[in-house]
């Protein structure tokens, strides 16, 4: 991201950029920043292509065309699938892309072994915009609050992130709510977060599994009712419970092998702060208990599909199951 920020700041642009990765908020943000920095209000020299099956000859023809009364022509190509398929025509062309044209790819899926990916890296810049860890998210969120004259303590920030998860778009939305809610005050408190911020479904599942491990059946059922009120289908809740136990099983196995938390996070494709919360939860179960609960989830799903149990009741019985 440092390279992108510097290019935008200096107005010195590479011929090709590729934005990819799991963090959609960052991809959209840098896509818009690059577009604004390269073109400003110019629409005559802007071309947008989206989806698979693009006409590469047409794109190359536009790229070879001099911009109309401007320094740059921008060609934005989004979710093309070119980095997972055959794009030889474009691969051969990129080294000859004129300095007057900037080609910007924004992709959901990228194969780093592809010829096009290697060509982009050679001619321009490829930026992987991955999920941010808790420290990065906290700095970013605190910066947004500071611009609005708001302060927040470390513990309150941790509470906020525990509710929002690591999705930056969701965090930004919750920050906007907090800023509006605390008009006239400069400090955001934990009570503000508890009052105004929405707990994500996956966080409620985490709390539900914690309640199950602590044999707090009443609390687990309250969380289940909350999810039903939020119109979460019982079978999706069942799937999320099973996924949570599967992840806990993996965390426990990796912890017993001495694998560090950052490596666990990388393997599970989860933020480190989420893995940090999962470690004590994994210790609360034996390996046999977790395997048994995953099997119960499978058996419950089968019972619902065969019509032996109604879905809502089936999940209730699962939650009430004692180890």
């Amino acid at each position: 991201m440092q390279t992108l920020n510097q290019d935008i700041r200096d107005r010195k642009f590479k011929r090709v950029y590729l934005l990819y990765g799991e963090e959609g908020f960052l991809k959209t943000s840098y896509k818009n920043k690059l577009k604004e920095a390269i073109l400003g209000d110019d629409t005559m020299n802007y071309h947008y292509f989206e989806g698979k099956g693009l006409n590469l000859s047409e794109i190359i023809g536009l790229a070879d065309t001099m911009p109309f009364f401007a320094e740059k022509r921008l060609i934005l190509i989004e979710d093309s699938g070119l980095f997972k398929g055959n794009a030889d025509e474009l691969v051969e062309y990129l080294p000859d892309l004129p300095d007057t044209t900037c080609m910007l790819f924004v992709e959901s899926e990228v194969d780093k072994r592809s010829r096009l990916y290697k060509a982009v890296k050679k001619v321009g810049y490829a930026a992987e915009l991955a999920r941010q860890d808790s420290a990065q998210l906290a700095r970013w969120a605190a910066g947004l609050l500071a611009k609005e004259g708001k302060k927040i303590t470390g513990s309150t920030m941790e509470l906020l992130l525990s509710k929002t998860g690591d999705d930056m778009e969701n965090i930004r939305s919750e920050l906007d709510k907090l800023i509006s809610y605390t008009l006239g005050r400069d400090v955001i408190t934990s009570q503000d977060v508890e009052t105004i911020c929405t707990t994500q479904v996956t966080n409620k599942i985490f709390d539900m599994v914690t309640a199950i491990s602590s044999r707090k059946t009443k609390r687990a059922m309250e969380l289940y009712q909350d999810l039903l009120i939020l119109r979460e289908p019982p079978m999706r809740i069942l799937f999320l419970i099973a996924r949570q136990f599967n992840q806990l099983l993996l965390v426990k196995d990796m912890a017993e092998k001495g694998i560090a938390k950052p490596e666990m996070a990388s393997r599970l494709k989860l933020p480190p702060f989420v893995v940090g919360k999962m470690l004590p939860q994994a210790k609360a179960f034996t390996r046999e208990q977790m395997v048994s609960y995953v099997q119960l989830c499978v058996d419950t799903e089968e019972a619902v599909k065969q019509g032996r149990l109604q879905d809502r009741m089936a999940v209730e019985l699962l939650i009430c199951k004692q180890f």
Side-chain angles (χ1 to χ4, degrees), residues 224-265:
Y224 179 52
Q225 293 302 320
D226 288 346
L227 291 170
L228 293 176
I229 291 171
L230 291 171
R231 297 181 182 238
E232 284 295 322
M235 295 309 287
R236 173 168 162 76
I237 296 171
L238 175 63
F239 163 76
L240 291 172
I241 292 173
R243 187 181 70 173
Q244 180 72 9
F245 273 99
N246 272 313
Q247 288 180 333
L248 289 175
L249 190 55
L250 292 171
V251 166
K252 191 174 190 71
D253 287 345
M254 285 189 277
E256 289 174 353
K257 293 175 182 176
I259 296 171
K261 185 168 70 175
E263 177 63 20
M264 290 186 196

Side-chain angles (χ1 to χ4, degrees), residues 15-289:
R15 289 179 290 168
V16 188
Y17 290 94
L18 165 63
L19 308 179
Y20 69 101
E22 295 180 344
E23 185 46 74
F25 179 88
L26 287 177
K27 286 192 294 184
T28 300
S29 177
Y30 278 107
K31 174 183 71 175
N32 292 335
K33 286 179 180 179
L34 282 167
K35 181 184 174 185
E36 170 64 24
I38 293 168
L39 293 178
D41 295 328
D42 181 9
T43 58
M44 296 187 67
N45 296 294
Y46 172 63
H47 309 276
Y48 179 72
F49 297 89
E50 182 182 14
K52 296 177 174 59
L54 299 178
N55 186 330
L56 299 186
S57 296
E58 178 188 357
I59 293 171
I60 290 170
L62 286 169
D64 275 335
T65 305
M66 288 290 292
F68 186 72
F69 290 114
E71 292 184 6
K72 292 281 186 183
R73 180 179 299 278
L74 175 63
I75 299 174
L76 173 56
I77 302 170
E78 197 158 5
D79 289 328
S80 66
L82 291 170
F83 291 83
K84 295 196 75 177
N86 185 355
D88 290 345
E89 188 177 357
L90 204 52
V91 170
E92 300 300 328
Y93 170 73
L94 283 186
D96 299 320
L97 183 67
D99 292 333
T100 53
T101 293
C102 181
M103 198 172 287
L104 171 58
F105 294 94
V106 182
E107 299 289 331
S108 299
E109 296 182 87
V110 164
D111 185 348
K112 295 181 181 180
R113 300 166 298 178
S114 69
R115 292 184 66 210
L116 184 57
Y117 178 83
K118 293 173 182 176
V120 168
K121 287 203 71 175
K122 187 174 181 179
V123 175
Y125 181 70
E128 182 173 8
L129 302 173
R131 297 281 190 184
Q132 304 295 285
D133 63 30
S134 56
Q136 292 169 320
L137 291 172
R139 286 194 296 271
W140 172 70
L144 292 178
L145 291 174
K147 288 180 181 178
E148 300 294 331
K150 303 290 183 182
K151 299 175 184 177
I152 188 169
T153 65
S155 59
T156 303
M157 178 64 77
E158 186 174 338
L159 173 64
L160 172 65
L161 294 179
S162 74
K163 284 180 168 291
T164 62
D166 64 342
D167 184 277
M168 295 178 75
E169 188 66 52
N170 185 54
I171 295 171
R172 180 59 190 259
S173 175
E174 295 301 312
L175 289 175
D176 288 342
K177 286 161 59 176
L178 281 169
I179 290 166
S180 298
Y181 183 73
T182 58
L183 283 176
R185 289 191 284 120
D186 60 353
V187 176
I188 290 175
T189 67
S190 296
Q191 185 59 49
D192 295 330
V193 173
E194 292 285 8
T195 301
I196 206 69
C197 292
T198 304
T199 301
Q200 293 300 291
V201 169
T202 51
N203 294 38
K204 286 186 179 290
I205 295 294
F206 184 94
D207 293 341
M208 186 187 296
V209 172
T210 299
I212 291 170
S213 69
S214 305
R215 294 180 173 79
K216 297 179 179 178
T217 305
K218 182 179 178 182
R219 176 57 181 157
M221 287 299 297
E222 287 173 352
L223 289 164
Y224 179 52
Q225 293 302 320
D226 288 346
L227 291 170
L228 293 176
I229 291 171
L230 291 171
R231 297 181 182 238
E232 284 295 322
M235 295 309 287
R236 173 168 162 76
I237 296 171
L238 175 63
F239 163 76
L240 291 172
I241 292 173
R243 187 181 70 173
Q244 180 72 9
F245 273 99
N246 272 313
Q247 288 180 333
L248 289 175
L249 190 55
L250 292 171
V251 166
K252 191 174 190 71
D253 287 345
M254 285 189 277
E256 289 174 353
K257 293 175 182 176
I259 296 171
K261 185 168 70 175
E263 177 63 20
M264 290 186 196
S266 176
R267 293 189 186 186
L268 293 172
K269 295 184 178 181
L270 293 171
F273 79 89
V274 173
V275 175
K277 288 174 62 180
M278 293 176 74
L279 281 166
Q281 194 178 64
K283 290 179 182 177
F285 296 96
T286 66
R287 192 177 192 285
E288 291 71 24
Q289 285 174 329

Side-chain angles (χ1 to χ4, degrees), residues 1-17 33-34 37-38 124-125:
M1 288 190 287
Q2 184 176 354
T3 298
L4 292 173
N5 289 328
Q6 184 171 339
D7 288 359
I8 292 167
R9 183 173 58 250
D10 297 342
R11 294 295 193 273
K12 293 181 179 178
F13 303 106
K14 296 170 178 58
R15 289 179 290 168
V16 188
Y17 290 94
K33 286 179 180 179
L34 282 167
I38 293 168
Y125 181 70

